[in-house]
Amino acid sequence: MLFTDLANATGNALYRRVGCRAVEDHVVREFDAGEAADHGM
């Protein structure tokens, strides 16, 4: 499994050239406990 940055066109072109292919997209979101408290959560 390889995770890449979609904004990195050079790296992604290289991965395609060596035979990697996209399977699915993922989004990672991180929340700080302090931020949740600030918003009443």
Side-chain angles (χ1 to χ4, degrees), residues 1 4 6-15 17 19-21 24 26-28 30 32 34-35 37-41:
M1 185 176 291
T4 65
L6 291 176
N8 183 348
T10 303
N12 292 323
L14 175 65
Y15 298 136
R17 236 178 290 147
C20 295
R21 63 183 177 86
E24 58 187 49
H26 289 270
V27 174
V28 176
E30 295 182 23
D32 184 323
E35 290 179 34
D38 291 342
H39 296 287
M41 297 179 168

